[in-house]
Amino acid sequence: MTSPRTTLSLVDTDPAELAVDAIVIGVHSQTTEQESGSPAGALLLASGAESIAAAFDGKLTETLALLGATGGPGEVIKLATLGTVTAPVVAAVGLGPEPSGAAPAPETLRRAAGAAVRALAGAARVALALPLPDDADAPAALRAVSEGALLGGYRFAGYKTKPQPARRTPVAEVLVAVPDVADATAQAEVTRAQAVAGAVRTSRDWVNTAPNELRPPSFADAVATAAREAGLGVEVLDEAALAAGGYGGILAVGQGSEAPPRLVKLTYTPSGGGNGKRVALVGKGITFDTGGISIKPAQGMWEMKSDMAGAAAVGAAMLAVAALKPSVAVTGYLPMAENMPSGTSYRPGDVITMYSGKRVEVLNTDAEGRMILADAIARACEDGADYLFETSTLTGGQVIALGKKIAGVMGTPELCERVRAAGDATGEPAWPMPLPDDVRKGMDSEVADISQVNAVMDRAGHMLQGGVFLREFVTDDVAWAHIDIAGPGYHSGEATGYWTKGGTGVPVRTLLHLVDDVAANG
């Protein structure tokens, strides 16, 4: 199911003269008295709104304040223009306190653009006159505004049988005001933002799809179809091919469901061979997770349709890679299974022979994600990779430790730091975590090479247990990073910034930033 798409383009017309349904400007909150004498608590217009302010004879901020505007981050206040400018509505979006001697941070602009476009649902055509610096930071700011607008306009198509009110229809077209629409750098940023935001929206669509409509075979078909249309190489291993290939972990998790498991491999080869480096992306694709025999509590289980968010992110990121054409080889691996309780389910106490040949003692069938990821990681290392980035909604321990918006990162220290930096740059924060020896010691098995979980520590260090287990399947010559997105992969609260309720698309933008980083710097 595909959500309606918002289009985006640049414009250098005076914002006051734009023929749109609404014009968005930025306002800052003021925390101290200014040299001009304006008191603390007054609103400050951000740059880009000058012509709009002039049309209101200098009374724009006063009027907005009367309507309750504070300039707080993400706040949107709408004002009827009554003919003062061409657009019938001005929407002022809060940017927080004015930065000292600098433009707002890219993430501030990204969230503001998303909040404004979301708040203007029902308008067909919206223009953004938000502050863009005129220095080296301009491309990053324009990228942020463009991404935020496109993602803020996202709404899952859904399954409602009654037509929805027109006021809920996402904005169809967004114009971003810039000094010069002919500027090649600006055009390149918009082109990139469209590819990246399109990938994030695709990832969100897959995560938000009802689990009865996205079981492993249909998910594999959807990814494969999109990948072929994008020009990627596609290989899909069905249950027979998985059995023949010895993918014990994927088969074990999937054997409890009537919908058999899959492994999808997507390949991008740069023209001329690129810079000679090889990047592997691996994503967990549990299309629904009941916990299996170790069944989960019923409360909140419906959100387990999002347990394939890692695979959705990798598949969508590969579509963007095909469009952006970086100078580095990238291969995506998407193991898919449905974790169900039945007479054929794998059990606590089972010993599974993995693709790598290692034998794993199963202690908890709800720790299934690491089982399918281990096979995919081993295959990626066997195929050849210099850098391996794996992402998954792996552990509730990530949420306990870092909350709902910060991913946990484990693996090669240097690569974990690159993931952290990429997260900071894209607004998808991540924090490096350790892989302690005592956690690994508690996973020693009496009957196999390793236990699936740490029976001694139980839930203690739960996020770290997942990373320690996956490390066993990465070969020594591959730099790797495991990105646990159990919290940020799915947003169950009210819409905020450019996040809507449901799938977030995290960490698509981080993965693409990392691919660009490897393409540029090895």
Side-chain angles (χ1 to χ4, degrees):
M1 182 172 292
T2 302
S3 62
R5 296 287 167 138
T6 301
T7 63
L8 185 143
S9 57
L10 300 179
V11 63
D12 53 14
T13 305
D14 181 351
E17 299 177 359
L18 286 171
V20 293
D21 298 308
I23 180 80
V24 176
I25 62 172
V27 291
H28 292 288
S29 56
Q30 187 170 301
T31 56
T32 59
E33 184 173 342
Q34 301 292 298
E35 292 181 3
S36 63
S38 57
L43 293 175
L44 293 175
L45 286 179
S47 62
E50 293 82 2
S51 65
I52 306 294
F56 277 81
D57 293 328
K59 297 180 180 179
L60 181 55
T61 54
E62 177 184 341
T63 304
L64 289 169
L66 288 173
L67 292 172
T70 66
E75 172 191 81
V76 180
I77 300 295
K78 303 175 190 177
L79 171 65
T81 67
L82 302 178
T84 54
V85 297
T86 305
V89 173
V90 166
V93 61
L95 299 173
E98 184 178 32
S100 177
E107 181 62 9
T108 298
L109 292 171
R110 188 181 286 112
R111 292 179 182 177
V117 171
R118 180 166 42 79
L120 289 167
R125 201 164 186 248
V126 169
L128 306 182
L130 293 174
L132 297 175
D134 57 3
D135 55 18
D137 295 329
L142 178 55
R143 179 183 298 187
V145 168
S146 300
E147 289 179 353
L150 291 169
L151 296 178
Y154 173 86
R155 179 171 286 115
F156 181 57
Y159 301 93
K160 294 182 182 292
T161 56
K162 295 181 180 180
Q164 296 301 290
R167 62 181 173 78
R168 291 178 52 83
T169 303
V171 172
E173 182 182 4
V174 173
L175 307 178
V176 179
V178 295
D180 181 10
V181 296
D183 181 74
T185 300
Q187 289 289 348
E189 287 298 340
V190 168
T191 298
R192 188 185 194 283
Q194 289 170 326
V196 173
V200 173
R201 292 170 68 106
T202 296
S203 175
R204 290 179 177 182
D205 280 347
W206 283 332
V207 172
N208 291 332
T209 299
N212 58 312
E213 293 197 356
L214 200 75
R215 305 180 82 179
S218 57
F219 187 22
D221 289 344
V223 171
T225 297
R228 291 189 182 101
E229 291 175 353
L232 295 169
V234 178
E235 178 186 2
V236 179
L237 301 184
D238 62 12
E239 64 272 31
L242 290 170
Y247 294 87
I250 298 174
L251 288 166
V253 175
Q255 72 189 36
S257 171
E258 64 177 3
R262 296 287 186 267
L263 175 61
V264 179
K265 177 182 175 182
L266 308 176
T267 306
Y268 164 77
T269 304
S271 60
N275 65 358
K277 296 296 183 181
R278 300 163 298 174
V279 175
L281 307 179
V282 180
K284 172 186 170 185
I286 297 295
T287 58
F288 195 81
D289 183 18
T290 67
I293 297 297
S294 308
I295 199 161
K296 293 177 179 292
Q299 181 63 33
M301 193 193 289
W302 50 84
E303 290 187 4
M304 286 301 99
K305 69 177 185 178
S306 69
D307 213 18
M308 36 64 70
V314 168
M318 289 299 299
L319 300 180
V321 165
L324 297 171
K325 296 179 169 45
S327 59
V328 62
V330 187
T331 306
Y333 298 84
L334 290 70
M336 302 172 180
E338 187 177 52
N339 190 24
M340 301 290 282
S342 74
T344 58
S345 296
Y346 81 132
R347 299 152 291 259
D350 283 359
V351 174
I352 307 300
T353 301
M354 308 294 284
Y355 181 77
S356 67
K358 287 189 176 182
R359 290 181 172 168
V360 173
E361 181 184 14
V362 175
L363 300 182
N364 186 337
T365 64
D366 194 23
E368 84 298 327
R370 65 198 67 185
M371 299 292 287
I372 70 169
L373 287 168
D375 277 356
I377 286 171
R379 169 67 188 273
C381 291
E382 180 183 86
D383 289 347
D386 299 296
Y387 303 99
L388 189 152
F389 301 100
E390 171 270 313
T391 186
S392 48
T393 49
L394 199 68
T395 64
Q398 179 273 314
V399 182
I400 299 300
L402 296 172
K404 296 284 285 183
K405 294 187 177 180
I406 302 176
V409 187
M410 290 145 274
T412 308
E414 185 271 338
L415 208 58
C416 289
E417 179 57 29
R418 290 174 81 166
V419 172
R420 186 201 61 75
D424 287 347
T426 59
E428 296 180 341
W431 195 252
M433 302 295 288
L435 296 173
D437 291 340
D438 65 315
V439 173
R440 173 62 183 89
K441 180 172 175 48
M443 298 173 79
D444 287 340
S445 169
E446 293 293 328
V447 298
D449 298 313
I450 186 172
S451 294
Q452 177 205 36
V453 297
N454 187 315
V456 177
M457 297 179 69
D458 191 26
R459 301 288 291 181
H462 191 219
M463 172 171 54
L464 311 183
Q465 292 181 41
V468 165
F469 181 86
L470 294 176
R471 180 178 58 185
E472 295 288 311
F473 300 89
V474 182
T475 55
D476 293 339
D477 59 334
V478 176
W480 71 288
H482 157 56
I483 308 170
D484 193 333
I485 57 166
Y490 190 85
H491 180 59
S492 56
E494 294 300 315
T496 177
Y498 52 88
W499 274 15
T500 54
K501 189 171 184 177
T504 63
V506 175
V508 170
R509 290 181 295 117
T510 295
L511 296 177
L512 293 172
H513 190 284
L514 289 164
V515 168
D516 283 347
D517 182 29
V518 175
N521 304 308

